[in-house]
Amino acid sequence: MSESSSGERALQERQKAHMARGLPKQKPIAGVKEVIVVASGKGGVGKSTTAVNLALGLMANDQSKRVGLLDADVYGPSVPKLMNLKGNPELTDNNLMRPLMNFGMPCMSMGFLVEDTAPIVWRGLMVMSAIEKLLRQVDWGLLDYLVVDMPPGTGDVQLSITQNIPIAGAVIVSTPQDIALLDARRGAEMFRKVNVPVLGLVQNMSVFQCPQCNHQTHIFGSDGARELARTLEVELLGDIPLHLNIRETSDKGQPVVVSSPDSPEAEAYRRIASAVVCRLTEESR
C-alpha cells in the first residue's frame, strides 16, 4: 500500500470515529429482520412510487416473505394515497400503533396521524420525535423486510434514521437528467459516510414510449444513472420507463405491481426487487 493511500485510509477512519462520537446506539426494530431504505437526492424523481412497488415486488417474487412499508417522509407522506389507505392506526395493549393493511402489506405513515390537507409545519425536534414514534412505537409483527420511503435530500431525518436503526442497504432512485444525478450522488455518498451499504441505483423515467406509434424518446436523457452507477462502483438495479400506466395506477391507489401484474412495468419493478435481494445476500456474506 502506498504512503498516500495509507494516509487517506487513516483519515477516513478518523472521520468515521469523529462522526460516531456521541451518536445513539443502533437498535433493531422489533420483529424486523432487514431494513431497506429507498432514497433520492431530490424530490420529484418517483421515489415513493418506486418504494411502494419495490415492497410489493418483494412480496410478489416470494410469497413466503413478509414485507412492511414505512413512510418516513414526514412533510410529504405519499404512501396513504399510493396504497389507498385512510384512517388512524389502532393501539395494541402495549400502546403500540398497528399498521394499516392493504394488498396484504402492513403500512405506517405520518399521513395516518394528521389530516389529509393539514400542513405539517414542525421544527426539527418535533420531526425527530415523530420519526422516533414511527420507528419505535409500531407493532410490525414479524417481517422479513421493512421498506422505508425516506424523505428526499440528505438532512436530519435521514441521519437520524441511519443512526438509530441498523439498515441492510439503501436503494437510490434518480432520473437520468444531470441535475437529478448530481443529487443522487450526494445521497449515495451520505449513506457511505454513515456506513450504510448502497445496494444500487434505480433509473426511473428512463424512456417514454409513445402509445400510438411505439416510438421511444429519452425525455430526461439516456443512461445517466448507468454512468453514475459505474462511477460510484455500485450496481444499476434496473430501469423503470416513463409510462402512463404507472402514473394512473399510482393516482388510483392501485400500484402497478398488483393492479397490472402481467405488464412490462410491473415486471420491471419485480426485476429490481430480485436484484435488491441478490445484493442483500452479497452484503450479508
Side-chain angles (χ1 to χ4, degrees):
M1 184 184 291
S2 69
E3 208 170 300
S4 61
S5 61
S6 177
E8 188 176 333
R9 177 75 59 85
L11 177 62
Q12 288 174 347
E13 291 301 323
R14 286 199 300 274
Q15 286 175 336
K16 285 180 183 177
H18 180 72
M19 288 184 70
R21 194 178 303 153
L23 296 180
K25 189 172 182 182
Q26 287 184 333
K27 181 183 172 187
I29 299 174
V32 176
K33 288 184 181 176
E34 293 188 294
V35 176
I36 304 164
V37 297
V38 179
S40 65
K42 70 193 301 294
V45 297
K47 168 186 55 65
S48 295
T49 301
T50 301
V52 165
N53 283 289
L54 167 62
L56 291 167
L58 290 167
M59 285 179 58
N61 287 344
D62 187 346
Q63 295 182 4
S64 71
K65 299 296 184 184
R66 292 156 296 189
V67 184
L69 180 62
L70 172 60
D71 184 356
D73 193 345
V74 174
Y75 289 113
S78 301
V79 163
K81 171 76 171 174
L82 292 167
M83 289 293 290
N84 195 25
L85 286 168
K86 286 185 179 179
N88 303 116
E90 297 177 355
L91 293 179
T92 68
D93 294 338
N94 296 328
N95 260 353
L96 298 177
M97 293 181 287
R98 279 200 182 96
L100 274 62
M101 297 278 295
N102 201 5
F103 310 117
M105 189 164 68
C107 304
M108 180 52 63
S109 169
M110 183 54 58
F112 302 147
L113 308 177
V114 297
E115 294 294 324
D116 285 354
T117 57
I120 300 176
V121 283
W122 293 348
R123 292 187 183 274
L125 286 175
M126 293 178 71
V127 174
M128 292 303 105
S129 175
I131 289 295
E132 181 71 16
K133 284 183 171 61
L134 291 174
L135 292 177
R136 301 293 178 200
Q137 297 182 23
V138 178
D139 182 8
W140 291 105
L142 297 175
L143 295 179
D144 294 288
Y145 304 113
L146 177 64
V147 176
V148 181
D149 179 18
M150 298 279 268
T154 54
D156 287 348
V157 173
Q158 291 85 344
L159 287 172
S160 180
I161 291 173
T162 56
Q163 290 164 3
N164 272 280
I165 60 173
I167 295 172
V171 174
I172 310 292
V173 181
S174 180
T175 57
Q177 67 194 108
D178 289 348
I179 190 68
L181 293 166
L182 186 64
D183 290 328
R185 179 166 192 160
R186 290 193 184 103
E189 295 294 355
M190 182 208 76
F191 285 115
R192 282 180 165 170
K193 282 191 174 181
V194 293
N195 298 321
V196 172
V198 177
L199 302 177
L201 270 63
V202 172
Q203 183 165 252
N204 199 26
M205 309 182 201
S206 58
V207 65
F208 172 72
Q209 183 167 305
C210 174
Q212 305 299 324
C213 66
N214 293 329
H215 175 72
Q216 292 191 341
T217 305
H218 295 276
I219 293 175
F220 297 109
S222 63
D223 287 337
R226 193 179 302 276
E227 291 301 320
L228 178 60
R230 190 175 296 121
T231 301
L232 294 173
E233 297 182 338
V234 299
E235 191 170 322
L236 182 72
L237 298 168
D239 293 89
I240 303 296
L242 179 61
H243 200 285
L244 188 62
N245 194 26
I246 296 174
R247 198 275 300 166
E248 288 181 339
T249 55
S250 297
D251 284 352
K252 291 175 183 174
Q254 300 289 322
V256 70
V257 167
V258 290
S259 61
S260 302
D262 297 326
S263 66
E265 302 82 61
E267 176 60 27
Y269 284 117
R270 288 196 300 270
R271 281 199 303 269
I272 288 170
S274 294
V276 165
V277 172
C278 287
R279 288 287 294 114
L280 288 172
T281 302
E282 291 169 7
E283 288 292 335
S284 64
R285 283 175 186 160

